[in-house]
Amino acid sequence: KATVSVLNWAAGSQGREAVKTVTMSGSLRPALEPKSVFDLPILVEAMSSVGKSADHARTIQKHALKSKVSDWGAVCKGQDLPKSVIKVLDDDFVRLTSQVTEKRESADGTIKMLIRLQDGLEVETVVIPMSPGYCTVCLSSQVGCAMGCTFCATGMMGLKGSLTAGEICEQLVHARDACPDRHIRNVVFMGMGEPLHNYDSVLTAVRTFADQKTFSLPASGITVSTVGVVQGIRSLARDAPWVRLAFSLHSPEQETRIKIIPSGNKFPLHDIIDALDYFAERSKSTVMIEYTVLKGTNDTCDDARRVGELLQGKSVAINLIPYNPTDVKEDYQVPEEEAVEAMWQVLVKEYKLKTTIRQQHGTDIGGACGQLALNRTGGTVLADIEDAGNTRPINRQYPNRPSAASKKAPSGKSVAPATPAAAAQKAKDAGVASSFGALAVLVLLLAVVASQQPDLLGGILDPSWATAFSQLRALIH
């Protein structure tokens, strides 16, 4: 379905309109010259001008993704394409219009890339190591953001421009190059910008990511996060119901929510909830509810109960996000672990809502949720791509609580959270297993000695033990 959607979208008028300028909410950027080969609607139009189909455009993208050379003749070698196609590519397209100007690696293995766009503007992309061999990529959809969330460093930048579909896709290309030893399993639009404020480009990008001929990401591995652009949510439910949707709630009360998200006054909370219900019904999937926990603002059990009342019975999963310190005007504070734990208890036990507590990644390099603001501090600056991807992640989730990436039981249900007693029994079992392992090693060593020095063991061991080791010696021989 995703592939069909890519072709239908590429054949539409949206891409041709995007050729001229990229504009959103009064923020105007010049069209890319040369253009990105990963901007499918524009590439499709170029191919149609020389009599080639949308499928040819996807094939070119496939080979461009595999190749790192800039010569189109070499990239397209073996495709039996006419010279007219190669000429169009040479004249109007490049493999990458953007470049990584800096990479910083966190103590937990997270990598934040500073990416410079063709017009000199910059965005940040974060690569988060997950299970061994896999990673999640956090993408930006805009330079800055117009939503103005008061706890978010990106929101303090204002909106400087929206990215093209090609620039969004190029972030994933850079991420693949930065961590060649890790497989990209998930892509989340939780970086800079409001994705549904740049709807056409984001929609084209997610369809390209899901296309089996190019990036071939599982549809369930693509998440679009929004502060609640109602029309965008409803459009996404119709255009791409196979993606995952995340909604930034942060408060169940409209008045408090507007203080945290000033742009929230454009969309009443009840209208947003109706749109989320519509998306869940169309997609037959669970909507993630993101809730940044701010000490003294929205971190009480009563706050959790109001969230429970708002969402009980709906197809949602709540993700509690402890506030990450950022350079913003408001004096927000990191919540106490006990407060976040108590909220978790209320939501899970009283309201039976699926709830997780987000693990922190990349806080020391300004790469965690709400911290992206082009800051160049912390971590280790990587000189070469080969320096990346060699650090194993540190598990920073709260004790005895499932993370957002918690494992699933064979039945498809979440594994029950561990209790203190269960954790103690698990530690005891591990200790017993360790003791048996040590004993096995000792027996093996004695058996080896028995095979080399039988008389020595016979003089220091009980006769029955000496006989047993003699039998072991015979087996070894």
Side-chain angles (χ1 to χ4, degrees), residues 79-133:
Q79 293 187 56
D80 194 29
L81 292 175
K83 291 182 180 180
S84 59
V85 170
I86 302 299
K87 185 177 187 307
V88 167
L89 293 174
D90 283 337
D91 290 347
D92 297 332
F93 292 89
V94 289
R95 179 176 180 267
L96 294 172
T97 63
S98 59
Q99 60 178 331
V100 178
T101 58
E102 183 181 274
K103 295 187 294 290
R104 288 183 180 270
E105 185 169 17
S106 167
D108 62 19
T110 298
I111 296 173
K112 183 176 75 169
M113 298 183 294
L114 183 66
I115 298 176
R116 181 167 297 154
L117 307 177
Q118 195 179 82
D119 58 3
L121 294 177
E122 294 176 324
V123 294
E124 290 179 326
T125 303
V126 182
V127 183
I128 307 167
M130 305 302 287
S131 55

Side-chain angles (χ1 to χ4, degrees), residues 203-262:
L203 182 60
T204 300
V206 299
R207 284 171 162 163
T208 304
F209 293 155
D211 187 357
Q212 295 301 305
K213 203 163 188 174
T214 51
F215 291 92
S216 192
L217 288 177
S220 61
I222 303 171
T223 301
V224 175
S225 177
T226 178
V227 299
V229 180
V230 171
Q231 188 54 48
I233 294 171
R234 292 184 174 275
S235 295
L236 195 66
R238 294 187 292 268
D239 296 332
W242 37 267
V243 304
R244 300 282 186 176
L245 179 66
F247 165 58
S248 297
L249 176 61
H250 308 320
S251 176
E253 296 182 319
Q254 180 73 359
E255 184 177 348
T256 303
R257 188 170 185 270
I258 290 174
K259 293 178 180 177
I260 300 173
I261 309 174

